[in-house]
Amino acid sequence: MKTTAIICVYNEEETIEDVIISVSKSEMVDEIIVINDGSTDGTEKIIKKIRGNIEIKDIHFKENKGKGYAMAIGVENAENEIVVFIDADQTIIINGYIKQIVNPLLNQESDMVLGYSTVNILSKDVNPLKILTGERAMYKKDISPILDKMKKSRFGVETLLYFYFLSIGKTIKFIQLVGIKHKHKYKKNSITKATTDYLQEGWEIAYTAMKNYDLMLKTVEKLIRKKIKK
């Protein structure tokens, strides 16, 4: 079964080249789609340079439209049955991580797979926000019904996907991607800008959850019914 890798990028000139190259080396990937979400740095130039050496489908927005919109456009342009989303800000890339998150779909173990990284706190690897991870795989047919909602969700898109899949009875599998690292906002921008961005993203996540309360209610109902059956 063929897989399309979708890389949504906004101002990641320092990491985007290595990320695209690493994805192109994966035996699991048959198509690469790069969505440049209105970058204002050198990201677009780098993508177009890479296009001369690696076969990619690149789409460039003139202005930033948000992560959810970019992801939805990627899905609409994907030609394969499985789509895997890849973060563009990976600073440490591990071999075989795409295979790790695609294989459970191929083996019919899950409907959506989330590959998450962790931080070490008191000698324990933790990630309380792993449902928001950018590395994830799913079937295109499962995500297609909510593309319009995704386009309006901005950074709340991962929250939307999580509750949507649970609300329709789909299974979700979490896989820890040991060793993978991402560049956090405080390394990309000033303290003030990074803090503002995190607050904005937090609001978009909360707003998406409130706006899609019907999905949350369906999820709660399913969990209650599951407990009652036990």
Side-chain angles (χ1 to χ4, degrees), residues 56-90:
I56 63 173
K57 183 186 295 182
D58 56 321
I59 299 170
H60 302 269
F61 301 154
K62 291 184 178 180
E63 59 182 30
N64 182 261
K65 294 179 176 293
K67 188 173 184 179
Y69 190 95
M71 288 173 66
I73 293 299
V75 174
E76 288 178 346
N77 283 272
E79 297 180 0
N80 297 316
E81 296 177 64
I82 293 176
V83 292
V84 54
F85 294 99
I86 307 295
D87 272 337
D89 62 351
Q90 294 178 19

Side-chain angles (χ1 to χ4, degrees), residues 164-178:
Y164 173 70
F165 268 70
L166 289 181
S167 72
I168 60 174
K170 296 292 183 178
T171 56
I172 300 174
K173 184 182 179 96
F174 292 91
I175 293 179
Q176 182 181 352
L177 301 177
V178 179

Side-chain angles (χ1 to χ4, degrees), residues 6-230:
I6 300 172
I7 307 170
C8 300
V9 55
Y10 175 66
N11 288 349
E12 299 293 356
E13 62 181 5
E14 294 183 8
T15 55
I16 185 60
E17 183 170 7
D18 288 341
V19 170
I20 293 175
I21 290 173
S22 71
V23 172
S24 71
K25 293 178 179 177
S26 172
E27 61 186 25
M28 309 296 292
V29 175
D30 300 280
E31 177 185 42
I32 300 174
I33 299 176
V34 183
I35 309 293
N36 174 23
D37 191 15
S39 295
T40 57
D41 62 358
T43 295
E44 181 174 350
K45 184 178 180 180
I46 292 170
I47 293 171
K48 288 181 176 179
K49 182 192 75 172
I50 294 172
R51 191 176 58 191
N53 301 311
I54 297 174
E55 185 177 349
I56 63 173
K57 183 186 295 182
D58 56 321
I59 299 170
H60 302 269
F61 301 154
K62 291 184 178 180
E63 59 182 30
N64 182 261
K65 294 179 176 293
K67 188 173 184 179
Y69 190 95
M71 288 173 66
I73 293 299
V75 174
E76 288 178 346
N77 283 272
E79 297 180 0
N80 297 316
E81 296 177 64
I82 293 176
V83 292
V84 54
F85 294 99
I86 307 295
D87 272 337
D89 62 351
Q90 294 178 19
T91 55
I92 297 180
I93 304 172
I94 59 175
N95 292 327
Y97 75 93
I98 294 178
K99 188 174 183 178
Q100 287 184 59
I101 56 179
V102 171
N103 268 346
L105 293 182
L106 299 177
N107 298 331
Q108 298 183 337
E109 298 171 16
S110 183
D111 298 304
M112 178 167 67
V113 184
L114 280 65
Y116 67 95
S117 58
T118 61
V119 293
N120 191 276
I121 300 177
L122 299 177
S123 300
K124 290 185 178 181
D125 291 327
V126 297
N127 185 341
L129 301 175
K130 59 186 180 182
I131 71 167
L132 305 179
T133 181
E135 274 73 41
R136 59 182 62 218
M138 64 203 75
Y139 287 99
K140 181 180 177 179
K141 62 181 176 61
D142 287 338
I143 196 176
S144 294
I146 59 167
L147 291 181
D148 287 340
K149 284 190 174 185
M150 285 176 63
K151 289 177 180 179
K152 301 172 184 176
S153 65
R154 295 191 66 85
F155 263 98
V157 64
E158 282 97 358
T159 303
L160 171 64
L161 290 174
Y162 181 73
F163 284 112
Y164 173 70
F165 268 70
L166 289 181
S167 72
I168 60 174
K170 296 292 183 178
T171 56
I172 300 174
K173 184 182 179 96
F174 292 91
I175 293 179
Q176 182 181 352
L177 301 177
V178 179
I180 199 168
K181 298 292 181 185
H182 298 83
K183 191 175 184 180
H184 60 70
K185 294 187 187 300
Y186 288 105
K187 287 187 177 180
K188 301 177 189 178
N189 303 299
S190 66
I191 293 177
T192 301
K193 178 68 166 60
T195 302
T196 301
D197 286 348
Y198 275 126
L199 290 173
Q200 178 64 31
E201 289 176 17
W203 160 247
E204 290 173 1
I205 291 167
Y207 179 73
T208 298
M210 291 185 291
K211 192 175 180 181
N212 295 279
Y213 70 93
D214 56 321
L215 299 182
M216 296 174 67
L217 287 177
K218 287 180 183 178
T219 300
V220 172
E221 287 175 4
K222 285 185 178 293
L223 291 174
I224 291 174
R225 288 174 186 170
K226 194 174 181 180
K227 277 195 172 184
I228 291 174
K229 286 182 179 180
K230 288 183 178 180

